[in-house]
């Protein structure tokens, strides 16, 4: 049975002091490290309301209050637009196919909008997308929030001077590359991929960017496979996903 | 075929787009002048203008599918698709797409390669544009057109950021 939920994680102890209305079992809460995320209200909101962050100086960005206590209504169409393909690329793997999401114009538009709403106005100057499916989601987000798009590629694809970062696969290793002059120290970056599993690829991307002094604000994926513990592998680095698949 | 010949002559945006593209000599091998669009992607205004020029052209042409060729076609195609209300269909190297595919082979300078598309992504009669960053010999685009025509789609146009004039298409 697949569980789909808007996913955040939080170490916020206020969770344990919720009022009598408890959030649904499949809700998790936003991580509050990072400091750049500003709650729109100055008092400590009940944790299940924290999932909508807006700059406090922008009334126009007030979220629709009706959606605060439930999963964003756009999520369920996004989730059902993703096709699951068993035993690809090999027996035992359940593959999450986002190409069907790309065929649903409203759901694809909503996917991008959910990321853009979260990251617009947060002084992010770099969206790094991981080859190849990160190239599908990253550029529309970058264009909408006014950021550069930086492709993180397999070896020998980028023509200019690159930095390389090796990372482990289930069997063996792979390498990720980035153009050295694509980013500058001090820039604030997002990393985008379609899916996070073990977190190995995202971790390599984080290391690449941090090696040149970029601040990775958050990793963002459409889908998370929580059983593979990617969130733990990322440690302190926040992860935002739209859909969780168990 | 080129934007300047298609009513965009003197469009002030074209110069900045062209200037934002970096030429890297001798990549991937000696003698090849590689047109690197990653520098265009770093210039937010030029990148946005690139997408806008395509969107302006295709918005009212009743296009329901934007097919993008892996991998650099993925960087331009989805933004165009979203803006014109079309589906985005990735055309991929072999064994990347998980569902049932149809495949089309095409020639390289030495040897051949293959492009795949998911069965069912495109319906007969749909109007399609094919996007890639660059057209050189046209081998890849031709394979893309054959794939789409095999499922009964109508390829209205192929669109690329860069066309190499010196190479016969």
């Amino acid at each position: 049975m697949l569980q789909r939920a808007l996913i955040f994680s939080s170490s916020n102890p206020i969770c344990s002091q919720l009022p009598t209305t408890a959030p649904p079992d499949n809700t998790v809460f936003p991580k509050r490290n990072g400091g750049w995320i500003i709650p729109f209200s100055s008092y400590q909101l009940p944790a299940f309301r924290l999932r909508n962050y807006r700059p406090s100086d922008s009334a126009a960005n007030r979220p629709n209050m009706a959606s605060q206590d439930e999963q964003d209504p756009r999520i369920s169409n996004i989730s059902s637009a993703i096709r699951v393909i068993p035993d690809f690329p090999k027996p035992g793997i359940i593959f999450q196919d986002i190409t069907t999401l790309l065929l649903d114009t409203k759901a694809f538009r909503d996917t991008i909008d959910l990321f853009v709403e979260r990251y617009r106005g947060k002084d992010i100057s770099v969206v790094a997308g991981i080859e190849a499916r990160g190239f599908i989601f990253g550029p529309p987000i970058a264009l909408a929030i006014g950021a550069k798009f930086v492709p993180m590629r397999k070896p020998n694809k980028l023509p200019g001077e690159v930095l390389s970062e090796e990372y482990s696969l289930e069997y063996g290793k792979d390498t990720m590359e980035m153009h050295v002059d694509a980013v500058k120290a001090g820039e604030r970056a997002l990393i985008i991929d379609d899916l996070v599993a073990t977190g190995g690829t995202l971790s390599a991307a984080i290391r690449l960017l941090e090696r040149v002094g970029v601040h990775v604000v958050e990793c963002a994926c459409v889908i998370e496979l929580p059983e593979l513990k990617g969130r733990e592998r990322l440690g302190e680095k926040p992860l935002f996903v739209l859909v969780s698949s168990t | 075929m080129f934007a300047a010949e298609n009513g965009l002559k003197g469009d002030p945006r074209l110069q900045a787009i062209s200037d934002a593209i970096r030429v890297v000599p001798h990549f991937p091998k000696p003698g090849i002048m590689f047109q690197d669009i990653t520098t265009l992607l770093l210039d937010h205004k030029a990148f946005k203008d690139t997408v806008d020029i395509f969107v302006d052209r295709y918005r009212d042409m009743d296009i329901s599918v934007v097919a993008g060729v892996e991998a650099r076609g993925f960087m331009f195609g989805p933004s165009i698709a979203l803006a014109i209300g079309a589906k985005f269909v990735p055309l991929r190297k072999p064994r990347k797409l998980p569902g049932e595919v149809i495949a089309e082979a095409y020639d390289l300078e030495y040897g051949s390669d293959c492009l795949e598309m998911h069965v069912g992504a495109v319906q007969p009669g749909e109007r399609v544009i094919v996007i890639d960053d660059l057209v050189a010999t046209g081998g890849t685009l031709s394979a893309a057109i054959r794939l789409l025509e095999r499922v009964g789609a109508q390829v209205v146009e192929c669109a690329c950021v860069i066309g190499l004039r010196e190479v016969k298409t």
Side-chain angles (χ1 to χ4, degrees):
Chain A
M1 167 93 168
L2 293 172
Q3 270 196 319
R4 313 283 190 171
L6 189 64
I7 297 296
F8 301 87
S9 66
S10 174
S11 51
N12 186 345
I14 212 96
C15 293
S16 59
Q17 298 161 35
L18 285 174
T20 52
T21 314
D25 284 347
N26 60 355
T27 312
V28 259
F29 304 104
K31 193 169 266 196
R32 300 224 40 210
N33 59 5
W36 61 271
I37 296 177
I38 305 163
F40 68 81
S41 174
S42 57
Y43 67 89
Q44 190 68 279
L45 296 170
F48 69 89
R49 290 180 183 274
L50 291 173
R51 60 185 211 66
N52 283 311
Y53 293 103
R54 293 293 181 272
S56 54
D57 62 352
S58 176
N61 280 341
R62 285 277 157 115
N64 177 353
M65 300 298 278
S67 70
Q68 274 200 319
D69 294 330
E70 298 129 20
Q71 177 174 283
D72 187 298
R74 294 172 285 183
I75 296 283
S76 94
N77 287 337
I78 291 168
S79 177
S80 40
I82 296 165
R83 173 169 67 163
V84 175
I85 302 207
D87 303 318
F88 183 89
K90 54 186 201 195
I93 308 254
I94 312 277
F95 191 90
Q96 304 283 330
D97 179 20
I98 51 92
T99 67
T100 44
L101 172 62
L102 310 176
L103 299 178
D104 180 333
T105 51
K106 183 176 188 311
F108 184 24
R109 158 59 55 201
D110 286 345
T111 302
I112 299 300
D113 284 350
L114 281 161
F115 290 122
V116 170
E117 287 163 18
R118 183 176 179 84
Y119 298 119
R120 171 181 278 144
K122 300 292 197 297
D123 199 29
I124 288 166
S125 59
V126 175
V127 173
I130 299 182
E131 172 159 16
R133 290 183 288 263
F135 294 177
I136 295 173
F137 297 96
I141 297 167
L143 286 169
I145 69 174
K148 311 188 283 200
F149 179 72
V150 175
M152 314 291 268
R153 297 211 67 174
K154 297 276 196 267
N156 308 311
K157 303 292 184 85
L158 292 170
E161 189 190 349
V162 296
L163 278 186
S164 296
E165 186 72 32
E166 216 176 49
Y167 60 105
S168 300
L169 300 171
E170 189 182 4
Y171 298 107
K173 293 190 197 296
D174 207 342
T175 303
M176 180 184 294
E177 294 186 340
M178 175 181 79
H179 273 148
V180 296
D181 47 12
V183 290
K184 292 193 284 287
E187 293 205 81
R188 290 163 52 80
L190 294 181
I191 302 175
I192 306 279
D193 207 353
D194 65 323
L195 180 145
V196 51
T198 62
T201 314
L202 284 176
S203 297
I206 293 168
R207 289 195 301 275
L208 259 179
L209 289 161
E210 290 185 339
R211 274 166 64 185
V212 289
V214 169
H215 173 49
V216 177
V217 172
E218 193 158 86
C219 295
C221 301
V222 181
I223 305 159
E224 175 186 21
L225 304 183
E227 285 167 0
L228 295 176
K229 304 198 184 308
R231 196 172 287 273
E232 284 84 81
R233 178 118 174 229
L234 295 183
E236 288 303 301
K237 205 51 80 175
L239 171 67
F240 174 75
V241 304
L242 303 184
V243 161
S244 181
S245 181
T246 49
Chain B
M1 207 230 329
F2 293 100
E5 295 148 10
N6 267 306
L8 273 135
K9 203 173 178 70
D11 186 315
R13 297 174 291 183
L14 284 180
Q15 186 61 54
I17 291 167
S18 179
D19 291 345
I21 296 166
R22 170 170 70 167
V23 178
V24 182
H26 309 305
F27 183 89
K29 57 186 196 193
I32 308 252
M33 304 296 281
F34 190 91
Q35 304 282 327
D36 179 18
I37 49 88
T38 67
T39 45
L40 171 61
L41 307 176
L42 300 179
D43 181 335
H44 177 261
K45 182 178 190 311
F47 184 20
K48 184 166 193 310
D49 286 343
T50 304
V51 171
D52 285 349
I53 289 172
F54 288 123
V55 168
D56 289 343
R57 183 176 179 82
Y58 297 117
R59 166 177 283 130
D60 297 321
M61 289 175 67
D62 200 28
I63 306 286
S64 59
V65 176
V66 173
V69 180
E70 169 162 16
R72 289 184 287 265
F74 292 4
M75 299 179 196
F76 297 95
S79 300
I80 299 167
L82 285 165
I84 69 174
K87 308 187 288 196
F88 179 72
V89 174
L91 304 181
R92 299 210 66 175
K93 295 283 169 32
R95 295 174 298 279
K96 304 294 185 86
L97 292 170
E100 190 190 354
V101 296
I102 59 168
E104 188 70 36
Y106 61 102
D107 291 328
L108 299 171
E109 190 182 2
Y110 298 108
S112 66
D113 207 340
C114 202
L115 213 54
E116 294 185 343
M117 179 174 75
H118 269 148
V119 169
V122 179
Q123 303 304 314
E126 292 208 79
R127 290 165 56 78
V128 183
I129 53 169
V130 182
I131 305 280
D132 206 353
D133 65 323
L134 179 146
V135 52
T137 62
T140 315
L141 285 178
S142 298
I145 294 167
R146 289 196 298 276
L147 257 182
L148 290 156
E149 291 185 338
R150 275 167 61 189
V151 296
Q154 180 197 357
V155 178
V156 172
E157 194 161 80
C158 295
C160 302
V161 181
I162 305 159
L164 298 186
R165 286 185 188 272
E166 297 79 29
V167 185
K168 267 205 173 357
T169 46

